[in-house]
Every structure is written in C-alpha cells, then in structure tokens.
C-alpha cells in the first residue's frame, strides 16, 4: 500500500495556498505565523537558480508585500535527500536567499525577509522517485507579521506587533 511509504504523503495542514492567504487577509483574518506553500518554487538538482515557473508566484508574494508594508516573512529552503547533510543545509539556505534576492528585485526591502535552510529535514514527498525529489527541492514562505488587517468595513487598522 502506498500509504505505508516513508515520508508524508500530503502537505502539512498548517500550510496554505497563496489564494487562501489572500482570502484570509481580505476577510480580515490575521495571517501572522501562517505558512504559505508555493508549489511552483522548485529548483533543479544541485542548483539554487530560480526556475522561470517560480517567478509568477513570487510576483504574487511581492504584490501582497507591497500592499501590506508591515508584512514580514521567513523564507524556508529545502532539498531532496541526495547529498550530505552539511551540503544540503548550505544549498537550502542558498535557495531561500535566491527567493529573497528575487523579491528584493521586485522592490521588497530585504529587512522584511529572513532566510532559513532546512536541508533534507522536512520532505513533502518520497525521495525514492525523481518526481518526489523534485517536489522536495522547494521553498516555503511563512508570514511572521502582517502588521495591518482589513476590517469588515474595508478600513485598515494596525495589529499588535509581535
């Protein structure tokens, strides 16, 4: 049975799509400490160069961050299981920094973003297949502070800073 394979078969439940996050903000729900899973931010084997399909979802993140100038994020880099732990830890941090570099090129202040590399520690798919390893070579973004939220009346108000 494929459910018995090692590693999670689905995405963490505390991880939301960009569309879900945007809807939460629109409804006035504070999304601080919530993780955005952007499934199109993947990397080739042994690379931290952003693939062309990674740029549209990152453009969406830049638009959201421009709309909410107090928003802060953590950018988490991940690798597949091939390679040594120390090498993968460095590579995953380089991937997180590649995303931050791109967001900075879109006008986002680097002080609003914090990189972290997890190496191969948190796979979302099996490392036994090419497709699974490809999905594991990714970046996730966690919103650590929104700073503003939209009320039911369309007004904005300052939220508590953490």
């Amino acid at each position: 049975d494929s459910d018995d394979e090692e590693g999670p078969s689905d995405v963490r439940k505390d991880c939301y799509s960009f569309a879900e996050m945007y809807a939460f903000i629109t409804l006035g729900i504070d999304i601080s400490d919530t993780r955005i899973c952007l499934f199109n931010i993947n990397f080739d084997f042994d690379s931290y160069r952003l693939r062309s399909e990674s740029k549209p979802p990152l453009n969406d993140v830049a638009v959201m961050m421009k709309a909410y100038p107090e928003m802060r994020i953590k950018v988490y880099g991940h690798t597949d299981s091939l390679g040594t732990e120390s090498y993968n830890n460095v590579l995953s941090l380089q991937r997180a920094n590649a995303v931050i570099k791109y967001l900075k090129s879109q006008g986002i202040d680097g002080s609003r973003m914090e990189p972290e590399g997890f190496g191969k520690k948190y796979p979302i798919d099996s490392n036994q297949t090419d497709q699974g390893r490809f999905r594991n070579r990714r970046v996730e973004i966690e919103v650590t502070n929104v700073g503003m939220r939209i009320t039911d009346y369309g007004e904005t108000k300052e939220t508590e800073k953490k």
Side-chain angles (χ1 to χ4, degrees):
D1 185 356
S2 64
D3 292 336
D4 295 329
E5 288 182 17
E6 191 172 315
S9 62
D10 205 351
V11 180
R12 281 180 238 139
K13 294 186 180 10
D14 64 343
C15 196
Y16 298 92
S17 72
F18 179 81
E20 289 170 318
M21 295 292 262
Y22 187 77
F24 292 160
I25 291 174
T26 303
L27 293 170
I29 298 169
D30 187 352
I31 60 169
S32 297
D33 301 318
T34 305
R35 186 167 295 178
I36 302 173
C37 288
L38 300 171
F39 295 104
N40 296 1
I41 304 176
N42 294 97
F43 300 85
D44 290 324
F45 175 71
D46 198 26
S47 173
Y48 58 92
R49 185 183 61 80
L50 282 174
R51 295 169 57 99
S52 60
E53 65 265 21
S54 300
K55 293 179 181 178
L58 289 176
N59 291 339
D60 290 340
V61 171
V63 167
M64 184 188 295
M65 291 187 76
K66 287 176 184 177
Y68 299 92
E70 298 298 316
M71 181 181 284
R72 304 280 185 272
I73 63 172
K74 288 185 180 179
V75 181
Y76 300 127
H78 300 272
T79 66
D80 60 30
S81 65
L82 302 178
T84 67
E85 184 172 342
S86 61
Y87 181 81
N88 282 335
N89 288 340
V90 170
L91 181 59
S92 63
L93 183 59
Q94 290 172 319
R95 289 174 174 170
N97 280 319
V99 166
I100 288 174
K101 181 179 177 182
Y102 182 79
L103 290 171
K104 285 168 67 175
S105 79
Q106 300 304 301
I108 306 302
D109 185 332
S111 68
R112 297 171 60 193
M113 302 174 280
E114 179 183 339
E116 189 167 349
F118 286 116
K120 57 186 174 182
K121 189 173 181 179
Y122 299 111
I124 59 169
D125 207 332
S126 170
N127 276 298
Q128 303 303 311
T129 66
D130 290 341
Q131 182 63 29
R133 286 188 295 273
F134 176 78
R135 285 183 36 116
N136 289 332
R137 297 189 297 263
R138 72 193 189 284
V139 167
E140 295 175 351
I141 295 175
E142 181 175 352
V143 177
T144 57
N145 181 43
V146 177
M148 300 289 282
R149 61 186 279 181
I150 300 171
T151 68
D152 292 336
Y153 305 104
E155 303 166 356
T156 58
K157 64 180 181 178
E158 193 74 18
T159 60
E160 271 187 46
K161 301 281 191 278
K162 290 191 172 191

